[in-house]
Amino acid sequence: MQVTGTVLTTRRVDAYHALTVVAPGIAERYRPGHFVSVAVGGANTSMVTRRAFSIHDVKSDYGGTVELVFTTGGPGTAWLAERRARDTLDLVGPLGRPFPLPRDPAHCVLVGAEYGSAVLFPLADALLARGCRVDFVLGAAGAERVFGAMRARRMAETTTLTTEDGSLGLRGKVTDALPSVIADTRADAVYACAPMETLRAVTAVAMEFDIPVQVAVEESMACGIGVCMTCVLPVIGDDGVTRMVRACAEGPVFRGERVRFEDVGTIPFDALGAPGGGARHVS
């Protein structure tokens, strides 16, 4: 649904911006993994495409609020970072396919890098409500870019932090620490949100342990509703056939082993409809 939301609060969280917006309807329909698309630049802007943002938190206050966490990477997010309380935003949501939850209590490892970690906290709440064990692995290039370390420690059995420069936690990437966390916690499943290369590595680790992995991909989305086809990526279907699917509509959550990470950004020759027209089967 499309709503005009009022900005309730703005704050800085380390290297990131957090914006809480009153968005009734979107908040009540939200499930962990959903996202919203936001019009940026104002009514007379030349920035015609929307920006997609994962939802970090949802509350019932004021009829329903959603909190977005983001970093400034261009004119659209720079404009959004300048919003203040009582400003209005045009939001569409909740969009996308949310994280599937286990039917029975399970041991779940949640892996996040940079601000991708933000989407994992409502997921953790949902898993805990089902009696699951939750363990976090969070990382970034440096300490100031690790999101949610304190909150993770409060809600999880264990929280492992990694930084590439060694300024917080273990030196290295989240995937360096992930194998030992999976082994120590006897994990049944992995959930992850991070840049594509990290998701590729997380998926490889989970496959080594023969446990399922759900990944929320970070693809650029212009429309957010499946029309513009800017966010397509190759994914293997249940029938073993690779199709170019829309991250905003069929995703952003996918089974990690089904995403052809090595071919993201291309149309594989064996994808359905491509010149090769073949099929690729799950091994």
Side-chain angles (χ1 to χ4, degrees), residues 55-56 99 110-113 116-125 136-138 155 191-193:
I55 297 174
H56 169 238
F99 286 106
L110 277 54
V111 185
S117 304
V119 73
L120 299 177
F121 291 94
L123 170 64
D125 284 332
F136 275 102
V137 182
L138 305 178
M155 65 194 309
Y191 293 86
C193 184

Side-chain angles (χ1 to χ4, degrees), residues 3-98:
V3 304
T4 299
T6 301
V7 175
L8 186 63
T9 63
T10 65
R11 61 192 177 102
R12 287 299 300 267
V13 184
D14 297 322
Y16 306 111
H17 298 271
L19 214 63
T20 300
V21 185
V22 178
I26 292 178
E28 66 186 23
R29 292 169 173 81
Y30 166 78
R31 296 293 181 271
H34 278 149
F35 67 95
V36 295
S37 68
V38 182
V40 298
N44 300 314
T45 182
S46 61
M47 293 185 285
V48 296
T49 59
R50 291 173 172 266
R51 304 299 189 269
F53 298 96
S54 297
I55 297 174
H56 169 238
D57 207 359
V58 171
K59 288 186 171 61
S60 59
D61 303 351
Y62 304 97
T65 66
V66 297
E67 185 177 63
L68 316 177
V69 174
F70 60 96
T71 186
T72 54
T77 47
W79 177 89
L80 193 64
E82 294 172 353
R83 298 310 93 198
R84 295 296 178 260
R86 294 188 294 277
D87 286 345
T88 58
L89 292 174
D90 181 329
L91 300 91
V92 175
L95 299 171
R97 172 179 172 266

Side-chain angles (χ1 to χ4, degrees), residues 190-232:
V190 173
Y191 293 86
C193 184
M196 281 293 196
E197 279 304 308
T198 301
L199 293 181
R200 179 180 182 178
V202 168
T203 296
V205 172
M207 291 178 68
E208 287 178 7
F209 283 87
D210 195 27
I211 58 175
V213 54
Q214 299 285 340
V215 299
V217 301
E218 294 186 355
E219 276 289 283
S220 296
M221 301 175 188
C223 73
I225 57 174
V227 175
C228 70
M229 305 299 286
T230 61
C231 64
V232 295

Side-chain angles (χ1 to χ4, degrees), residues 176-269:
D176 296 326
L178 183 57
S180 62
V181 173
I182 290 176
D184 293 345
T185 63
R186 299 182 179 178
D188 299 306
V190 173
Y191 293 86
C193 184
M196 281 293 196
E197 279 304 308
T198 301
L199 293 181
R200 179 180 182 178
V202 168
T203 296
V205 172
M207 291 178 68
E208 287 178 7
F209 283 87
D210 195 27
I211 58 175
V213 54
Q214 299 285 340
V215 299
V217 301
E218 294 186 355
E219 276 289 283
S220 296
M221 301 175 188
C223 73
I225 57 174
V227 175
C228 70
M229 305 299 286
T230 61
C231 64
V232 295
L233 72 165
V235 176
I236 304 167
D238 291 339
D239 57 1
V241 176
T242 294
R243 294 174 175 83
M244 300 303 294
V245 304
R246 301 161 298 178
C248 67
E250 285 76 35
V253 177
F254 296 99
R255 289 171 55 179
E257 72 275 10
R258 296 293 183 85
V259 179
R260 291 176 60 171
F261 289 105
E262 69 278 10
D263 295 320
V264 169
T266 71
I267 300 177
F269 76 94

